[in-house]
Amino acid sequence: GQQLNQSPQSMFIQEGEDVSMNCTSSSIFNTWLWYKQDPGEGPVLLIALYKAGELTSNGRLTAQFGITRKDSFLNISASIPSDVGIYFCAGQPPPGSGGSNYKLTFGKGTLLTVNP
Amino acid sequence: DTEVTQTPKHLVMGMTNKKSLKCEQHMGHRAMYWYKQKAKKPPELMFVYSYEKLSINESVPSRFSPECPNSSLLNLHLHALQPEDSALYLCASSAPGQGRYNEQFFGPGTRLTVL
C-alpha cells in the first residue's frame, strides 16, 4: 500500500524560530492534508492542498503540494508556544491505485516542542 | 456549526462490559468515520459510513460494532473488549461528492481504557 515518510520525527526549537517539515512518498497523491493534534484531542485540519504546485497559507502556516505530486511540506513562521503538538500529513492516492474517496494515508507525525 | 462532537470524553470499562461511543455532526456531511489511535501514532481507520451505509470495514474484530442511525449520528458499540483495545477513538466526517470531499474533520475523541 501507499506509505508516507514524514520528517523530522521531532523538533525542539526556540520561540520565534521558523519550522519546516515534509512528507514524501514513492507514489503520487491527489490530495495533501496537514493536521495538528494537541495531547488528548483530535487532529485539527490546518491546510488542504488539491493541485500540484499549489502553495497555500493559513496565518503563519504555509504548505505546498509538490510538483511531482509525491511530496508536500509545511512551514510555520515565527513559532509560538501554542504551536506545540504533533503535526500529521495525510494524503489521498488516486482512484485505481488503492485509493478511495474515504481513505487517507497518514505520515507518522512530527512532534514539535517550542521553548519559550 | 463546524464541529464534530463525541461522548463520552473518557470511558473505563471491564472486559465483560457493553458500552457505546457516540459521535454527532451538523455540517451536512454524508461520510462518517471511526478511527483508533494509539499514543504517538497516526490514526488508523476502522469504519466508514457513506450516506448512512457501511462502506468500509478495515477488518475490525466483531467486538466493535458500528451503527449509523441517521446522517448526523454515528455510534460504536463495544463488547468483550481486550486491554489492547485501550486507545483514543476518533470520529470524523467529510462531505463526499463535493469539491473538497477529502477534508476529514475530527472530533475530540473518546479516551477508552479497558481493564
Side-chain angles (χ1 to χ4, degrees):
Chain A
Q2 305 276 358
Q3 288 193 341
L4 290 181
N5 299 309
Q6 185 170 352
S7 64
Q9 280 189 316
S10 61
M11 301 181 74
F12 297 84
I13 63 170
Q14 293 298 124
E15 182 177 0
E17 290 183 355
D18 297 344
V19 171
S20 184
M21 60 191 78
N22 69 84
C23 277
T24 60
S25 172
S26 58
S27 307
I28 62 172
F29 283 83
N30 274 357
T31 302
W32 288 96
L33 305 173
W34 285 93
Y35 289 91
K36 182 197 176 198
Q37 187 171 24
D38 292 331
E41 298 293 330
V44 174
L45 181 62
L46 300 174
I47 292 179
L49 302 160
Y50 285 92
K51 295 181 181 178
E54 180 180 356
L55 185 70
T56 297
S57 294
N58 178 6
R60 293 179 295 106
L61 278 60
T62 301
Q64 185 159 28
F65 192 140
I67 197 71
T68 65
R69 297 172 64 192
K70 294 183 179 181
D71 61 345
S72 177
F73 72 75
L74 175 70
N75 286 344
I76 306 173
S77 63
S79 59
I80 59 178
S82 62
D83 290 334
V84 166
I86 301 179
Y87 291 79
F88 290 103
C89 64
Q92 187 185 75
S97 62
S100 81
N101 285 348
Y102 307 109
K103 287 189 179 183
L104 295 177
T105 300
F106 282 87
K108 293 186 176 180
T110 294
L111 174 61
L112 178 63
T113 302
V114 179
N115 296 317
Chain B
D1 187 351
T2 58
E3 210 178 30
V4 177
T5 59
Q6 289 187 244
T7 56
K9 180 73 172 173
H10 301 277
L11 179 62
V12 179
M13 61 186 290
M15 289 188 284
T16 59
N17 292 157
K18 287 185 181 181
K19 297 286 185 183
S20 296
L21 309 184
K22 296 185 183 300
C23 174
E24 190 168 4
Q25 58 87 14
H26 294 288
M27 294 180 277
H29 289 173
R30 302 309 299 270
M32 296 185 75
Y33 309 74
W34 281 115
Y35 285 86
K36 174 183 177 181
Q37 187 179 30
K38 291 284 198 178
K40 298 186 179 179
K41 299 289 186 182
E44 298 175 29
L45 183 64
M46 299 174 71
F47 302 104
V48 180
Y49 273 83
S50 177
Y51 294 89
E52 298 155 54
K53 294 191 186 306
L54 185 62
S55 176
I56 296 175
N57 176 343
E58 292 285 84
S59 303
V60 178
S62 60
R63 58 185 183 268
F64 296 90
S65 176
E67 178 195 20
C68 189
N70 60 54
S71 60
S72 300
L73 294 174
L74 187 66
N75 298 323
L76 186 63
H77 303 297
L78 315 172
H79 174 54
L81 295 192
Q82 303 297 310
E84 58 264 30
D85 296 323
S86 299
L88 182 67
Y89 287 84
L90 295 163
C91 174
S93 69
S94 69
Q98 300 179 20
R100 305 186 76 82
Y101 54 80
N102 298 327
E103 297 174 17
Q104 294 185 20
F105 295 88
F106 286 85
T110 293
R111 172 69 60 191
L112 175 67
T113 302
V114 182
L115 301 177

